[in-house]
Amino acid sequence: MTHKHKTKSIGYDKVAYFFILPFFLIFTYFYFIPTFKVIMDSFTNYDMFTTRDFIGLKNYIELFKDDIFIKSMGNTFIYTIFTLFPTLIIGLLIALLANSTIIKTKICRTLIFMPHVVSMVAVSMIWIFLYDPTNGVFNQILKALGLPTFDFLMDPNMALPCLIVMGIWKGVGYNMIIFLSGLKSIPEHYYEAAKLDGSSSINTFFKITLPLLSPTTSFLLITGLIGSFNVFDQVNVMTNGGPLYRTTTIVHQIYTAGFSEYKLGYASAMSVILLIIIVIITVINFKLTQPKGE
Amino acid sequence: MKSYHLQKTCNKICMKTIFILIALIVVFPFVIMVLTALKSNQEITQGLSAFFPKKLLFSNFIEAMKKGDWVRYFINTAIITVVTVSLSLVINSLAGYAFARMRFRGKNTLFYCAMVGMMLPMQVIMIPVFLQIKEIPLLGGNDIWGNGGIGLVNNYAGVILPLIAHPFGVFLCRQFFMGFPKELDEAAKIDGCSPLQIYLRLYLPMGVPIFATLGLLKFVDTWNQYTWPLLVFNDPKMNTVQLALNAFKGETTTEWNYLMAATILIILPILILFIFLQKYFVQGIATTGMKD
């Protein structure tokens, strides 16, 4: 019944294109074209309704004079640095603890991983309550200790650190799981050899564990960097960028400019800046993880 | 010798205590959530003196669900999630199969193109993707150039379509299928099976483990989606549970017990999945880390 083309002589299956077609249709329409479109639109004054004229580099020039956008870049960098590195370090430490043979508390592992699977909106709700100025647990503890209370999310100096603390809390479990699978893939005999040589456990960690874990670490670093640079959900839900733009981030600015002010050309220029940052991160990572030598 | 032993047990207890302590700190916000959801409003304002609710008010869950059309929000989210997971499994595994087993011109180039997409977060292109949804040709009142109508705005498909092409899914299916013996294909070919039949009869049934893992990750990702529904839906009737929860916060600033009850109900499906399928979860997450 099946209509068989004798393509074997050439060795190509033309049918393959039908197999990849659905994927590439969607992929082209929702990834490729948008990537070009965002670059094109960044040179226009598009406002979704009337105009879409070419205005050259005007958007970019304006961006670098835009205090709020520059602030959002600063906030994003601060958020990234202070979320990513603590998450990595704490994640690794917990993984080391969990990996030691004497600890058999699987339920604890489950609990530590739990925040990762819960949606950002849901955890934001929980933390908004924890940070609440009157009924929140943190303030009630402060009050019980006779200390002054804070309106955490409305305090310009505290709002961003509050988001960072929540970000670390949510990310630690994921980092732990990935580090654990990295640790499990290190062959046991390395450790046995180190033991025979009388290496101290700290020495073993820095000389064996950490170097052999570097593919895992660089994976977590790169995905963590990209993820943190795109921080948006919790900002939009918890602070909406405030107070005094202290928590606004690049993606939050893109969203605000694009969907509440309808300055799509301008928002596209912001997106291109973010795109460039992500490309730079990816290229650096690619260069660093490329096998050296030859 | 004895002191060495003593030190070892001491170490063991110490490490275990630290580990349990960390777990308790991590779980603390969830404990607060559950306790608050079961308290009366008055108890919440009493602070630490009423840390545990005197009477467990399960009625809070019902009251919370009465504030808004929650049944509809759950149905919306369930439709989006189920359709997204199914479609993404189909299209990504088909592509993964072709990349693993078939020979065709441009195979490597196309594969690398897809993999580059893996690095590109959707937030970066959220403006043009929204425009692609709004200006989709011939749908939602649009003409062939994508003008005139609203496209897929306020339509389930507007959220589903951008989420189904999942380069990582293609990659994972390809890796998995490449592990199958090639003789299988050849035997099936000799029996007169077309590539589609080989895919349906051999690869689909044998790929179940990888589909389970991928499907689970996609399920959680879609259920937890906030950004896409926020952009695509502006009709409250289309709200997903995540959007509805955020809207709920705005309406009830003081009724924390209802807000926490709603939060619990929203994360419950994910938590149940997580608890029962934990093994697949961890496996899936761990393979994500192994992709280099």
Side-chain angles (χ1 to χ4, degrees):
Chain A
M1 234 5 196
T2 46
H3 194 74
K4 265 198 277 176
H5 292 284
K6 285 287 163 207
T7 45
K8 239 181 192 160
S9 49
I10 323 163
Y12 286 122
D13 283 318
K14 291 225 172 62
V15 195
Y17 295 111
F18 290 101
F19 279 72
I20 60 169
L21 186 69
F23 174 81
F24 274 98
L25 265 182
I26 303 277
F27 188 71
T28 310
Y29 193 80
F30 288 110
Y31 280 83
F32 263 136
I33 298 175
T35 310
F36 288 107
K37 236 180 173 174
V38 78
I39 296 169
M40 302 296 279
D41 276 343
S42 73
F43 299 109
T44 69
N45 60 356
Y46 188 38
D47 65 353
M48 204 177 310
F49 304 108
T50 49
T51 57
R52 201 174 197 162
D53 303 323
F54 181 77
I55 55 165
L57 287 171
K58 206 166 149 241
N59 283 330
Y60 291 95
I61 294 164
E62 246 174 79
L63 263 186
F64 286 101
K65 287 191 233 151
D66 183 343
D67 288 340
I68 296 167
F69 180 70
I70 288 168
K71 210 169 220 170
S72 80
M73 296 239 300
N75 290 339
T76 311
F77 276 98
I78 292 171
Y79 179 85
T80 302
I81 290 166
F82 286 97
T83 310
L84 187 59
F85 291 103
T87 311
L88 276 172
I89 294 165
I90 299 170
L92 177 59
L93 289 177
I94 301 177
L96 285 170
L97 259 182
N99 195 43
S100 66
T101 45
I102 50 171
I103 292 183
K104 287 257 183 296
T105 33
K106 213 171 159 227
I107 186 148
C108 287
R109 236 182 265 186
T110 309
L111 293 178
I112 294 171
F113 184 60
M114 215 161 76
H116 175 72
V117 295
V118 174
S119 78
M120 198 45 108
V121 180
V123 300
S124 298
M125 290 307 150
I126 302 171
W127 282 78
I128 288 173
F129 178 61
L130 295 178
Y131 287 139
D132 187 71
T134 49
N135 300 320
V137 173
F138 295 145
N139 274 321
Q140 288 180 342
I141 292 171
L142 288 175
K143 218 190 288 171
L145 294 172
L147 296 167
T149 58
F150 298 96
D151 192 347
F152 289 103
L153 291 173
M154 294 302 267
D155 185 323
N157 295 320
M158 289 222 174
L160 191 57
C162 284
L163 293 185
I164 289 170
V165 169
M166 189 186 97
I168 296 170
W169 171 80
K170 196 173 190 306
V172 156
Y174 173 74
N175 281 252
M176 173 194 72
I177 293 290
I178 304 272
F179 271 129
L180 256 176
S181 73
L183 285 171
K184 290 233 162 72
S185 68
I186 299 176
E188 196 61 39
H189 60 256
Y190 283 100
Y191 291 112
E192 280 156 18
K195 219 175 201 175
L196 282 178
D197 287 346
S199 161
S200 71
S201 50
I202 292 175
N203 206 19
T204 310
F205 173 74
F206 282 106
K207 291 274 159 64
I208 294 176
T209 313
L210 214 50
L212 287 172
L213 216 52
S214 68
T216 311
T217 316
S218 77
F219 166 78
L220 283 172
L221 190 68
I222 183 89
T223 47
L225 268 176
I226 293 176
S228 310
F229 265 105
N230 287 292
V231 53
F232 170 69
D233 290 5
Q234 60 268 56
V235 172
N236 199 43
V237 172
M238 292 176 82
T239 61
N240 205 12
L244 304 171
Y245 300 106
R246 287 295 178 92
T247 59
T248 189
T249 60
I250 301 177
V251 177
H252 184 252
Q253 281 302 306
I254 295 172
Y255 173 76
T256 315
F259 295 98
S260 20
E261 296 163 21
Y262 297 109
K263 296 196 287 190
L264 293 192
Y266 194 57
S268 297
M270 293 180 187
S271 307
V272 172
I273 303 273
L274 183 58
L275 185 65
I276 291 169
I277 294 173
I278 284 164
V279 169
I280 291 172
I281 295 172
T282 314
V283 170
I284 291 175
N285 174 64
F286 189 72
K287 284 262 151 70
L288 287 180
T289 53
Q290 201 76 320
K292 286 166 224 149
E294 275 160 280
Chain B
M1 200 63 201
K2 205 177 171 188
S3 74
Y4 173 75
H5 241 65
L6 199 71
Q7 199 192 344
K8 217 172 172 189
T9 12
C10 201
N11 245 340
K12 191 175 161 179
I13 294 170
C14 244
M15 280 169 86
K16 254 194 172 155
T17 317
I18 293 172
F19 198 55
I20 292 168
L21 217 64
I22 294 169
L24 286 178
I25 292 170
V26 172
V27 90
F28 177 72
F30 290 116
V31 174
I32 295 289
M33 167 184 77
V34 174
L35 290 177
T36 309
L38 295 168
K39 281 182 195 174
S40 69
N41 235 331
Q42 195 203 349
E43 278 174 316
I44 291 169
T45 53
Q46 277 170 1
L48 291 181
S49 57
F51 189 74
F52 294 101
K54 271 196 199 73
K55 210 174 125 230
L56 302 179
L57 290 176
F58 287 101
S59 57
N60 283 346
F61 289 93
I62 297 158
E63 290 301 316
M65 289 298 103
K66 277 186 192 156
K67 314 220 163 209
D69 200 352
W70 280 91
V71 175
R72 168 134 202 166
Y73 307 149
F74 270 97
I75 292 173
N76 286 343
T77 318
I79 291 173
I80 291 170
T81 308
V82 170
V83 176
T84 305
V85 171
S86 333
L87 285 181
S88 89
L89 282 180
V90 172
I91 71 161
N92 296 322
S93 71
L94 271 175
Y97 167 71
F99 282 124
R101 275 294 180 258
M102 296 167 118
R103 289 172 47 127
F104 50 97
R105 228 177 275 276
K107 180 171 158 180
N108 287 336
T109 319
L110 285 169
F111 185 68
Y112 285 124
C113 280
M115 289 310 106
V116 168
M118 199 149 71
M119 296 313 284
L120 185 69
M122 285 294 250
Q123 282 94 331
V124 177
I125 46 171
M126 69 182 186
I127 302 248
V129 172
F130 173 76
L131 294 174
Q132 292 288 82
I133 291 165
K134 188 172 157 279
E135 295 168 357
I136 197 160
L138 300 175
L139 290 171
N142 281 343
D143 59 20
I144 191 135
W145 306 112
N147 298 319
I150 55 161
L152 296 177
V153 172
N154 276 331
N155 190 319
Y156 292 131
V159 174
I160 293 167
L161 288 177
L163 294 176
I164 59 174
H166 191 203
F168 178 63
V170 175
F171 175 81
L172 222 57
C173 287
R174 172 179 169 268
Q175 294 301 93
F176 194 76
F177 291 153
M178 274 176 16
F180 293 173
K182 260 202 165 124
E183 291 76 30
L184 246 120
D185 288 51
E186 266 135 40
K189 250 181 214 164
I190 291 164
D191 287 348
C193 283
S194 69
L196 187 64
Q197 282 170 324
I198 296 176
Y199 167 77
L200 288 175
R201 292 203 190 144
L202 283 175
Y203 284 75
L204 218 52
M206 290 196 300
V208 167
I210 201 75
F211 299 151
T213 301
L214 266 180
L216 202 59
L217 293 180
K218 197 75 199 166
F219 188 99
V220 175
D221 185 51
T222 314
W223 185 273
N224 289 347
Q225 264 295 329
Y226 174 69
T227 316
W228 282 118
L230 178 72
L231 300 184
V232 176
F233 298 152
N234 49 40
D235 179 355
K237 261 196 267 167
M238 295 302 291
N239 269 358
T240 63
V241 286
Q242 311 293 342
L243 289 182
L245 185 64
N246 192 28
F248 194 26
K249 177 204 70 179
E251 289 156 18
T252 61
T253 34
T254 46
E255 289 166 316
W256 290 109
N257 43 357
Y258 296 157
L259 185 65
M260 290 298 120
T263 309
I264 290 175
L265 289 173
I266 280 167
I267 64 182
L268 212 54
I270 296 294
L271 278 191
I272 291 170
L273 267 187
F274 172 59
I275 287 161
F276 284 104
L277 302 174
Q278 209 196 126
K279 206 181 95 197
Y280 293 95
F281 249 107
V282 173
Q283 241 166 37
I285 302 274
T287 30
T288 326
M290 291 292 120
K291 72 179 174 195
D292 304 288

